[in-house]
Amino acid sequence: MREIRIASKIISTLTRDRMQYPGRLLVDAFAMIARCGILLLLYSRVFQLNGGTIGGITFNVAAWSMFFYFSFSVFRLRDISKAIMQDVRSGNVETLFNKPISYLLYRVWWQIGMGLFSFVAITIVGVVVLVLIVGLPTTMTTTIFILTIIPVFLGATMLSLAIYSIIGLLAFWIEEITPIFWIVDKAVMMLGGSFLPFALFPDFMKKLTVYSPFGASQFMTHAVYDSWAEQWVFMLGAQAVWTIALSLLAWTMFMKARQKVSVNGG
């Protein structure tokens, strides 16, 4: 119960701070326009040149799929790995280990609080803009989509935090984790459908997306496709399995790291 109160305090404090000093919001909004906006303009032209349909999907379906990826990226959950690395390098981790909340959970709640305001604000505005410009695909008006979009988003959040926490915790054993972060981040980007919608993937990449944790961390981009009505049970299940497995791995690494700090740091 105490940890819940602390988590709520961390998130609410950081959210209020972001609202009072919206510099990060402006940076994230500009990045969203520069990446997602320009990309959608290019795709709209490509779809027009191909008669409005490519690989059996229309532009509005592709647009919403890519928007969900870029919107989720504004949450900046991947930054937890860099935060952990900086704590280890600076030695601040020894102080944080003595907090009344687990260090790993503290970093998770802190990262959520840091990105929540920008994510919510940009997502709301982006949804309104896309509805007005490209409209809603029929798949987004179905009962299945409405009932599953929140669970798949929560699953993506937990899985992303687990993946990037593991990378961050490697800093207790590896001085420089940036190359590993780049590899994993690019895998998430490619398999998540950032620059190429999932429906246009070749078969081997579709399998990698569905069966790997990197693709599973972006399954909300699949919810706009017709296939979601048949695959949502499997995808939510796969997402849950990966989340549990990688969360256990992250917790095991954290306990090992704590022992390492206790032995080396006294």
Side-chain angles (χ1 to χ4, degrees):
M1 197 65 175
R2 181 185 63 178
E3 290 191 351
I4 295 177
R5 290 197 299 269
I6 294 175
S8 176
K9 184 65 175 179
I10 291 173
I11 293 175
S12 60
T13 300
L14 289 173
T15 300
R16 287 197 299 270
D17 180 70
R18 293 300 184 187
M19 293 174 67
Q20 293 177 1
Y21 303 97
R24 169 60 67 181
L25 174 62
L26 297 177
V27 172
D28 289 336
F30 178 78
M32 184 73 171
I33 294 171
R35 295 174 182 173
C36 185
I38 294 176
L39 186 65
L40 292 184
L41 287 175
L42 292 173
Y43 264 98
S44 66
R45 181 58 179 166
V46 172
F47 272 86
Q48 286 178 1
L49 294 174
N50 286 272
T53 303
I54 301 177
I57 65 170
T58 58
F59 171 67
N60 64 345
V61 171
W64 280 99
S65 177
M66 289 185 289
F67 168 76
F68 282 151
Y69 171 86
F70 284 103
S71 172
F72 187 70
S73 69
V74 173
F75 214 165
R76 305 184 73 86
L77 299 178
R78 62 186 180 276
D79 287 354
I80 190 173
S81 59
K82 296 179 181 179
I84 295 174
M85 181 180 68
Q86 291 171 358
D87 286 340
V88 174
R89 283 183 168 181
S90 65
N92 192 40
V93 69
E94 296 182 35
T95 302
L96 294 174
F97 271 0
N98 296 321
K99 294 285 185 181
I101 184 174
S102 165
Y103 168 76
L104 190 57
L105 292 178
Y106 167 78
R107 269 290 160 221
V108 165
W109 296 123
W110 184 276
Q111 199 59 54
I112 291 174
M114 287 287 285
L116 185 60
F117 175 63
S118 290
F119 167 71
V120 172
I122 290 175
T123 298
I124 291 175
V125 174
V127 166
V128 173
V129 171
L130 271 188
V131 168
L132 294 176
I133 295 177
V134 305
L136 279 176
T138 55
T139 52
M140 291 180 62
T141 61
T142 62
T143 303
I144 291 296
F145 175 85
I146 295 171
L147 293 178
T148 58
I149 189 62
I150 297 300
V152 75
F153 161 73
L154 294 176
T157 299
M158 292 185 288
L159 182 52
S160 295
L161 287 168
I163 291 171
Y164 288 105
S165 292
I166 289 171
I167 298 173
L169 289 168
L170 287 174
F172 284 95
W173 293 273
I174 304 173
E175 183 175 351
E176 180 58 69
I177 65 167
T178 303
I180 300 175
F181 172 83
W182 284 342
I183 293 171
V184 172
D185 202 45
K186 293 302 180 287
V188 171
M189 181 183 297
M190 289 187 296
L191 298 178
S194 57
F195 298 107
L196 183 68
F198 170 77
L200 304 182
F201 283 4
D203 289 339
F204 79 95
M205 283 191 65
K206 286 183 178 180
K207 292 179 180 179
L208 284 176
T209 298
V210 173
Y211 293 106
S212 73
F214 311 120
S217 68
Q218 303 293 325
F219 272 171
M220 60 278 179
T221 62
H222 296 239
V224 299
Y225 297 114
D226 292 328
S227 59
W228 181 251
E230 299 176 355
Q231 298 179 346
W232 70 271
V233 175
F234 169 78
M235 288 189 171
L236 287 180
Q239 200 176 55
V241 169
W242 276 118
T243 299
I244 294 171
L246 295 186
S247 294
L248 289 174
L249 176 58
W251 188 257
T252 301
M253 291 177 64
F254 167 68
M255 297 305 294
K256 293 290 185 182
R258 189 163 189 168
Q259 293 175 1
K260 184 179 179 67
V261 171
S262 296
V263 171
N264 296 335

